[in-house]
Amino acid sequence: MAYYNTNSRSPPPLQHPVPTHPAYIPEPPSTPMSPQGYQRYSSTPPVQPQAYGQPAPSQGHPSHVSPSYGAPGSAYQPMSHASPPHPSHPSQMNPNGPVDFSNWGIDNATAAFGMQLGQSAVAAGQEYVQKNLGGFIPVSVLKHHFNVSNSYVIKKLRLLLFPWRHRPWSRRVVRLENGQSEWSSPREDINSPDLYIPLMALVTYILLAALYSGLNSRFHPEILGVTASKALAVVLLDFVFVKAGCYLLNIPGGLSSQVLDVLAYDGYKFVGVIITLIAGLLGFGRTLYMLVFVYTFLSTAFFLLRSLRSMVLPDASATAAAVNPSQRSRRITFLFLVAVSQIVYMGVLVRV
C-alpha cells in the first residue's frame, strides 16, 4: 500500500512573461539637408510653418502625432506638393555671395583649391598661346578680323554675290591718337577682309557636303573628315600660290596682317560653293546647276580681282618705291591668274 507525503507542496503555477517596452529609445544621428531641399527626419521632425489662414494646433496635443493608420478621415497625404524648406544659409540667400560647397559634401577649402587650380591652368594656356602664336599672329590683329556686325555680314554676302556695280573698292584708313594709321575694322568698312564669314562658310560647306552625301545614300562619318581635309588643302594651296607670287613680285606688306588678309580672301570662295551645292540639292537640273556654278565663279573671281588690287598694286602714296611699267604688267598678270585659278578650286570643292 502506497503512502503519500501530505506535507509536500505542489509547484507554483507557470506564468507567461509580460512584454514590456523600453522607456527610452535613442535618437538616430541627424543627417544634413541635401542640396535639393529634402530632409530625412528622425523620430521627431521639426514643426513645419503654418500656412496663412490655417488654425494652429492646440497646445494639449503634440503636432507631430499623426492619426492611426486606417482610422476614418486619415487619408494618405502625398508630400510632393509641399514647398521645400527655404535655405537659411547666407550664401544661399545672396546670389552674389560665395558658394557654400558643404551642402554637396565638398569641403570649402578643397573647392577653393580646385577653382584656383582651374584659373591657373586657363592663365597658363593663354600665356602659352600668346608666347608661341603671338609672335607670328598677334591676338590684337586676330581680333580685328573678327570685329563684325550683323549688317556687315549681310552687306558682305551681297557684295560677294553681286560685286559688279560696287564702288569704291579701296579700304579705309584710321588715324590713331599717337599719329600712326591702321586699317578700319570690318564693322566699319565693308571692303575690309574678315575671318568670320570664311570660317562660318567652311563649317557650313562641311555640313552641306555631308547632307548631300546622305541624300545620295553615300553618307559615312569619315566624310566629315575627308571633306574638311579637302577644304583645308584647297585653302592652303591657294594661300601658298598667292604668297609665293607676292614674294616673287616683291610686293610689300606686313607679314601678320597679310597672312590673315590672304586667308580671308581665300575663304570667300566657299560662299559661291555653298550656293552651287544648294542649287544641286534643290534639283534644278544639270544645266541650271552649271549656270549657277559659272556665275558664282565669275562673281568670286571679279571680287578677288578688285579686292586684291589694293594689295598687289598699291597707290604711289602708300609705297616708298614707285612701280615701273614692267612690274605693273607682271602684277596685273598675277592678279588674273589668281582670279582664274578659282575655277579649279571651286570645281574641286563642289565635287562631294
Side-chain angles (χ1 to χ4, degrees), residues 12-306:
L14 297 176
Q15 295 182 358
H16 295 282
V18 179
T20 57
H21 296 281
Y24 171 74
I25 300 177
E27 296 288 342
S30 60
T31 56
M33 184 182 300
S34 61
Q36 289 78 10
Y38 300 98
Q39 185 176 8
R40 246 182 2 184
Y41 294 116
S42 58
S43 59
T44 58
V47 179
Q48 298 292 336
Q50 296 293 331
Y52 179 77
Q54 293 183 357
S58 60
Q59 298 293 333
H61 300 279
S63 59
H64 64 277
V65 178
S66 60
S68 59
Y69 180 78
S74 61
Y76 172 71
Q77 299 293 335
M79 296 296 293
S80 60
H81 298 285
S83 60
H86 298 283
S88 59
H89 199 276
S91 63
Q92 297 178 358
M93 297 296 294
N94 185 12
N96 298 326
V99 181
D100 188 6
F101 293 94
S102 60
N103 292 333
W104 283 270
I106 303 176
D107 189 9
N108 290 331
T110 305
F113 175 75
M115 295 179 63
Q116 184 178 3
L117 185 62
Q119 294 176 358
S120 302
V122 172
Q126 293 178 353
E127 183 180 358
Y128 176 81
V129 173
Q130 181 66 25
K131 182 179 179 181
N132 292 272
L133 300 179
F136 184 65
I137 301 178
V139 179
S140 59
V141 178
L142 191 62
K143 290 181 179 179
H144 173 85
H145 285 76
F146 282 95
N147 186 12
V148 299
S149 61
N150 294 333
S151 60
Y152 166 81
V153 173
I154 295 175
K155 293 179 181 179
K156 194 73 170 188
L157 292 177
R158 185 173 57 186
L159 176 61
L160 289 171
L161 297 177
F162 308 100
W164 317 111
R165 302 182 62 181
H166 177 69
R167 295 291 186 280
W169 289 92
S170 59
R171 298 174 61 180
R172 298 177 185 177
V173 179
V174 178
R175 300 292 179 180
L176 301 180
E177 297 179 355
N178 54 5
Q180 298 180 357
S181 61
E182 64 177 10
W183 298 115
S184 298
S185 63
R187 180 188 293 267
E188 302 172 354
D189 185 13
I190 192 176
N191 295 323
S192 180
D194 70 286
L195 290 175
Y196 176 78
I197 293 179
L199 183 60
M200 294 297 104
L202 174 62
V203 176
T204 305
Y205 165 72
I206 296 173
L207 298 178
L208 195 61
L211 176 62
Y212 196 91
S213 302
L215 294 178
N216 294 329
S217 301
R218 294 185 292 104
F219 177 76
H220 193 272
E222 295 181 356
I223 292 180
L224 297 174
V226 172
T227 305
S229 301
K230 181 175 66 174
L232 293 178
V234 169
V235 172
L236 182 61
L237 181 62
D238 194 5
F239 172 79
V240 171
F241 177 72
V242 174
K243 289 297 296 181
C246 292
Y247 175 77
L248 295 176
L249 296 176
N250 195 19
I251 298 176
L255 177 62
S256 60
S257 60
Q258 270 202 357
V259 167
L260 297 182
D261 290 347
V262 173
L263 287 177
Y265 288 127
D266 292 342
Y268 285 138
K269 65 173 63 69
F270 289 102
V271 176
V273 173
I274 290 173
I275 299 298
T276 305
L277 291 179
I278 292 177
L281 289 176
L282 296 178
F284 287 157
R286 185 68 178 178
T287 303
L288 190 56
Y289 174 81
M290 292 302 300
L291 290 177
V292 171
F293 173 75
V294 172
Y295 176 82
T296 54
F297 155 68
L298 292 177
S299 62
T300 304
F302 184 80
F303 171 81
L304 292 178
L305 189 65
R306 299 305 302 268

